[in-house]
Amino acid sequence: MTQPLLIENARIIDPASGMDHRGAVLIENGLIADLSTGGPVGVPDGAEVVNAKGLVLAPGLIDMRVFTGEPGKEYRETLASAGQAAAAGGITSFVVMPDTTPPVDDGALVDFLLRRAKATSAVNILPAAAITKGLEGKDMTEFGLLKEAGAVCLSDGRKSIQSTALLRTAFSYAANYDMTIVHHLCDTDLAGNGVMNEGLFATILGLMGIPIEAETIPLARDLQLALLTDVRYHAAQISTAYSVELVAAAKKRSKRITCGVSINNLALNENDIGRYRTFFKLSTPLRCEDERQAVIDGLRNGTIDTIHSDHDPQDVEVKRQPFAEASDGAIGLETLLAAALRLVHSDDVDIKTILRAMTSRPAEILGLDSGRIAKGAPADVILFDLDYPWQVTETQIRSRSRNTSFEGARLAGKVMRTIVGGQTVFSHETETAT
Amino acid sequence: MAQSRSSKASSAAAGSTGDYPPFSQRHLLSIADLQPYEIIDLLDRAEKMVPISRQERKSHPTLAGKTQINLFFESSTRTQGSFEIAGKRLGALVMNMAVKTSSLSKGETLIDTAATLNAMRPDVIVVRHSAAGAVELLSQKVGCAVINAGDGAHEHPTQALLDALTIRRQKGRISGLTVAICGDIANSRVVRSNLLLLGALNVRTRVIAPRNLLPAGIEHLATEVFTDMRKGLEGADVVMMLRLQHERATGRMIPSVREYYRFYGLDAEKLAFAKPDAIVMHPGPMNRGVEIDPAIADGPAAVITEQVEMGVAVRMAVLDALLPAGDNTP
């Protein structure tokens, strides 16, 4: 058994219960053994006592959308390197997307991922299994067997299924096993050769645009099919005002409909592309400021449930290219919390709402026991300094790829300690001491 | 028409271009990077280059000993030829990289290519690429001057400069004119460079196209936007026609060539809406019978061959401006 750990004098924020209070947490045997917001907490013999004065204690973050290169493209990212990056970013669990080589479309691969994750990574890695074989958007995978193997949800990752008939069948079959469908939204025909948000800025740069309708048309279709089949449906990431409207309307009719947003669409807009900066080439594309503001509204009013990093490691070879020819994606595990806290510091969103979208809401959607500070819950917790100023530099990146959309960014808010199942997997002190 | 400044300029012709302060840009990547005075400066320099090409011995070797590489990822006989002649008339050693037969078609990245060429120590690289921003990306990785000879649907700065020079020689001025640009606005780099250049010089710019060939936000880039060609041409001093990539567009962007020609092809009837002394321009190569009536293309209002001639002058001026004599820094 590990040494018991008492964290006292922390500002405990637990979005699940609504708690935001000074208090102490006792961690023992991988669980939150006790919790106090006033009275004394019994300190077991030999416990490590941490005075967390000035720090926030919150549930560890749960990131619903992470890509790695394992198996197949380990030079981009392994489960181990992604795990280290996650730990440094205060992420104690993440869903790994099935877009690997080969794709995770078979129970044996889910099993492989779980074993590799356990052997090489200190954080919880939750595999998402493909909806269609080979992520080809044609034939369904074995949902039941994938669930048995340990898949936490079904998703075709970066791919968006185009066939309405196939989606209907898949939604209905997923409902049969009570599995959540997480679907990326892109009408590939309408998006065409588009490489960024359609509008004046794309026109000035001479780049082909992707209209917002390439997102809202498949979203409207998915929502109707979700209502028809009563599946647990999670729109992977939305980015437009009209998408927020569509989801809000559908949510009135079903409690099983949820949606997420990438931190990139919350914190950045298309102007960040500047002169063809490919680290800002993303799918879902960065939109204009009006759409970003609408998405922030959607987060504030609860239409948007979750915030994720959309961590997508890409190497120099595919990123240092002309914009239209470069790969999509940016890493984000290490910057997720601090980038989200930008919205808190700018008074756009309160801290509890921000944390809820990265803790209790994803836990509820995925059916996890974590994501909350409560007696008996898994001891997946983080301590962070809400105001700690730092600058993102290439040298400090733990991910194997360096394609961060926050390079050079000045951020406020840093994880001081990350605890997974009672074990400290990251400590700011030891990191800075070495 | 068409007298203007050419005679005046020719007297100063053989003179050096050293009357000008050093050009402040390291590369010519886009018109957007240029201040109005820099545009005027380049046009003035180009004006002085015109007579050189009209001499019997077309040589003005200010770039002797310099190396110019033409790197064309998209083939373009006329632009590449124009840059080659421009460089050679200034005495530079010009090398054409045939991209299709080089390792570039074997998956070498643009960055690797840049590093390789850079190691050969050229003084200037002229680049055309099918992707917007590719020339700028390459410019960041080399130690010499880079000239954008067209990058995707982004910019084609020397085309805009040669168009402006042609207009100035024909009309005696640029400011205050009304210039109508008609055709595939959405996919044209020529339009973007022209709108930026003409806009910087206080020209009333108009774009004319069917809605599906107008890019989003174009109303912020042009003074006026028209879908009716006759209205768009009304009172225009200059009519610029664009090439329609009809092999690519038919069925996808437009239903047929005959319908396009009926509504957006320049013929005498539509041209009559422009000013009586309006000039007709085209960046070439032309599709006679697709976007322009052969009678107009070869008629008195057309200044299309002068555009080609000004192209050489402008490119000489740009090379000369970017590579000041005696400067041998890598």
Side-chain angles (χ1 to χ4, degrees):
Chain A
M1 278 300 115
T2 54
Q3 188 188 16
L5 172 64
L6 178 72
I7 301 169
E8 51 185 20
N9 285 324
R11 176 183 171 190
I12 302 174
I13 303 181
D14 177 44
S17 62
M19 180 202 299
D20 183 354
H21 204 281
R22 172 81 51 98
V25 163
L26 176 68
I27 291 167
E28 216 172 357
N29 300 327
L31 300 175
I32 296 173
D34 205 355
L35 167 69
S36 162
T37 53
V41 176
V43 186
D45 287 345
E48 179 193 352
V49 178
V50 173
N51 184 351
K53 191 160 186 288
L55 300 182
V56 173
L57 187 152
L61 309 185
I62 301 169
D63 187 337
M64 283 187 66
R65 190 175 174 86
V66 171
F67 298 88
T68 78
E70 188 169 356
K73 291 202 167 64
E74 285 82 358
Y75 58 92
R76 286 186 183 165
E77 192 85 288
T78 59
L79 295 173
S81 62
Q84 282 160 17
I91 293 159
T92 52
S93 301
F94 64 81
V95 177
V96 63
M97 290 288 118
D99 311 48
T100 46
T101 315
V104 183
D105 60 359
D106 186 283
L109 283 154
V110 173
D111 188 56
F112 165 81
L113 280 182
L114 287 170
R115 280 187 289 111
R116 282 294 291 169
K118 201 171 172 192
T120 64
S121 173
V123 306
N124 305 307
I125 296 181
L126 316 166
I131 302 170
T132 64
K133 284 180 189 153
L135 302 171
E136 284 176 351
K138 288 185 195 134
D139 302 310
M140 275 197 301
T141 55
E142 299 157 323
F143 294 1
L145 293 175
L146 289 164
K147 186 181 185 179
E148 274 187 357
V152 71
C153 62
L154 294 164
S155 177
D156 265 7
R158 294 183 191 94
K159 295 284 186 66
S160 190
I161 297 168
Q162 303 297 301
S163 162
T164 309
L166 175 64
L167 281 167
R168 181 190 178 171
T169 309
F171 283 16
S172 148
Y173 194 57
N176 190 57
Y177 296 100
D178 200 24
M179 289 194 82
T180 303
I181 293 268
V182 179
H183 196 212
H184 180 60
L185 300 162
C186 180
D187 183 321
T188 52
D189 200 25
L190 186 56
N193 297 322
V195 294
M196 69 170 285
N197 183 47
E198 182 174 285
L200 174 61
F201 198 47
T203 297
I204 289 172
L205 291 175
L207 295 172
M208 297 288 278
I210 302 172
I212 62 169
E213 288 74 15
E215 172 178 312
T216 57
I217 290 172
L219 176 62
R221 172 203 61 197
D222 279 14
L223 293 171
Q224 290 173 64
L225 293 176
L227 292 170
L228 174 70
T229 57
D230 203 28
V231 69
R232 287 184 191 280
Y233 174 81
H234 184 75
Q237 42 188 17
I238 65 168
S239 66
T240 79
Y242 188 48
S243 302
V244 174
E245 272 183 49
L246 287 169
V247 171
K251 278 188 159 193
K252 287 186 184 148
R253 298 176 57 191
S254 170
K255 288 208 178 333
R256 295 158 79 85
I257 287 172
T258 54
C259 78
V261 63
S262 160
I263 187 63
N264 298 314
N265 291 104
L266 277 178
L268 308 167
N269 68 24
E270 61 177 358
N271 295 315
D272 287 300
I273 291 168
R275 289 184 82 153
Y276 307 103
R277 296 162 73 192
T278 59
F279 288 2
F280 297 86
K281 184 175 185 231
L282 306 169
S283 167
T284 309
L286 296 175
R287 304 290 186 184
C288 65
E289 180 61 11
D290 286 352
E291 304 291 349
R292 185 181 83 94
Q293 289 296 337
V295 169
I296 292 172
D297 278 344
L299 179 68
R300 220 168 10 218
N301 68 29
T303 304
I304 293 176
D305 298 274
T306 62
I307 305 171
H308 57 255
S309 67
D310 198 19
H311 179 83
D312 193 353
Q314 299 288 343
D315 57 282
V316 168
E317 183 92 359
V318 296
K319 270 297 186 185
R320 255 201 297 179
Q321 293 279 355
F323 196 87
E325 294 169 10
S327 295
D328 295 328
I331 59 169
L333 286 167
E334 291 164 70
T335 45
L336 173 64
L337 178 65
L341 289 176
R342 267 190 180 178
L343 299 175
V344 175
H345 294 306
S346 62
D347 287 330
D348 280 309
V349 188
D350 67 85
I351 177 98
K352 232 183 274 178
T353 304
I354 283 284
L355 288 176
R356 179 182 298 117
M358 297 187 288
T359 59
S360 59
R361 279 310 281 147
E364 284 156 17
I365 290 163
L366 298 168
L368 307 176
D369 204 20
S370 54
R372 62 204 171 97
I373 304 289
K375 218 170 160 172
D380 292 357
V381 302
I382 54 172
L383 279 174
F384 66 91
D385 182 333
L386 195 51
D387 300 307
Y388 187 93
W390 60 293
Q391 190 173 14
V392 183
T393 59
E394 205 187 303
T395 49
Q396 67 192 205
I397 292 173
R398 287 163 186 81
S399 177
R400 280 201 182 175
S401 295
R402 305 287 150 108
N403 54 314
T404 171
S405 43
F406 292 94
E407 188 176 358
R410 289 167 198 282
L411 300 169
K414 184 122 187 28
V415 174
M416 294 294 142
R417 190 156 171 161
T418 303
I419 296 164
V420 178
Q423 302 267 19
T424 298
V425 299
F426 171 80
S427 161
H428 178 70
E429 269 172 43
T430 41
E431 288 284 318
T432 46
T434 51
Chain B
M1 58 183 204
Q3 276 308 324
S4 79
R5 313 163 64 109
S6 49
S7 55
K8 252 190 295 170
S10 59
S11 59
S16 78
T17 49
D19 324 341
Y20 295 93
F23 191 65
S24 56
Q25 305 273 345
R26 184 176 170 209
H27 308 296
L28 180 66
L29 300 175
S30 66
I31 296 294
D33 293 331
L34 302 179
Q35 297 295 324
Y37 72 86
E38 291 172 311
I39 295 169
I40 303 285
D41 175 21
L42 286 175
L43 295 179
D44 289 347
R45 288 170 187 258
E47 191 70 68
K48 294 199 173 178
M49 294 295 181
V50 175
I52 296 169
S53 294
R54 292 180 177 179
Q55 290 163 194
E56 197 169 341
R57 297 176 63 86
K58 300 170 182 58
S59 174
H60 183 71
T62 56
L63 299 191
K66 306 257 178 178
T67 308
Q68 169 189 342
I69 297 179
N70 292 339
L71 181 62
F72 278 58
F73 292 87
E74 272 184 344
S75 56
S76 164
T77 316
R78 62 173 62 208
T79 305
Q80 185 172 332
S82 181
F83 271 108
E84 184 173 357
I85 286 178
K88 284 182 171 165
R89 285 191 180 153
L90 293 175
L93 184 80
V94 183
M95 178 211 174
N96 290 312
M97 280 282 283
V99 172
K100 281 203 178 108
T101 56
S102 78
S103 60
L104 292 168
S105 50
K106 296 173 196 153
E108 186 179 83
T109 67
L110 186 64
I111 303 294
D112 292 338
T113 306
T116 305
L117 292 183
N118 194 46
M120 298 178 193
R121 300 210 163 251
D123 298 284
V124 58
I125 306 179
V126 179
V127 190
R128 168 167 291 189
H129 197 284
S130 59
V135 181
E136 180 164 341
L137 178 66
L138 189 140
S139 76
Q140 293 160 3
K141 310 294 172 186
V142 297
C144 66
V146 172
I147 298 172
N148 181 0
D151 62 327
H154 177 224
E155 281 224 38
H156 191 357
T158 57
Q159 179 71 43
L161 287 164
L162 76 88
D163 287 342
L165 183 61
T166 307
I167 292 170
R168 194 170 79 172
R169 289 168 62 92
Q170 289 289 332
K171 296 290 178 191
R173 66 189 170 113
I174 296 176
S175 277
L177 296 176
T178 298
V179 176
I181 310 176
C182 181
D184 185 357
I185 308 294
N187 297 300
S188 171
R189 52 186 166 227
V190 175
V191 168
R192 285 166 178 77
S193 288
N194 262 307
L195 289 177
L196 287 164
L197 188 152
L198 297 171
L201 300 184
N202 285 321
V203 168
R204 187 177 184 85
T205 54
R206 296 173 174 178
V207 293
I208 307 166
R211 275 171 184 252
N212 44 345
L213 294 179
L214 289 170
I218 188 69
E219 66 278 8
H220 298 289
L221 301 178
T223 317
E224 291 170 289
V225 180
F226 293 89
T227 52
D228 180 326
M229 191 169 179
R230 291 174 182 83
K231 283 187 187 148
L233 291 183
E234 218 168 275
D237 297 286
V238 176
V239 182
M240 251 184 222
M241 298 305 296
L242 298 174
R243 176 180 169 79
L244 181 76
Q245 298 270 346
H246 62 98
E247 314 85 357
R248 230 181 37 192
T250 304
R252 289 180 55 242
M253 302 302 284
I254 56 155
S256 69
V257 165
R258 71 173 187 180
E259 175 153 307
Y260 183 80
Y261 183 72
R262 171 84 175 78
F263 292 94
Y264 298 96
L266 185 67
D267 54 19
E269 185 265 328
K270 295 193 195 91
L271 182 57
F273 284 84
K275 281 197 182 150
D277 64 344
I279 55 169
V280 173
M281 304 174 74
H282 195 298
M286 273 186 288
N287 295 304
R288 289 183 172 80
V290 176
E291 69 258 355
I292 191 163
D293 182 339
I296 301 294
D298 306 318
V303 295
I304 297 162
T305 49
E306 181 168 351
Q307 284 176 273
V308 177
E309 186 187 355
M310 292 311 120
V312 174
V314 156
R315 284 156 189 144
M316 288 168 78
V318 169
L319 287 166
D320 188 62
L322 292 177
L323 301 178
D327 172 19
N328 278 314
T329 51

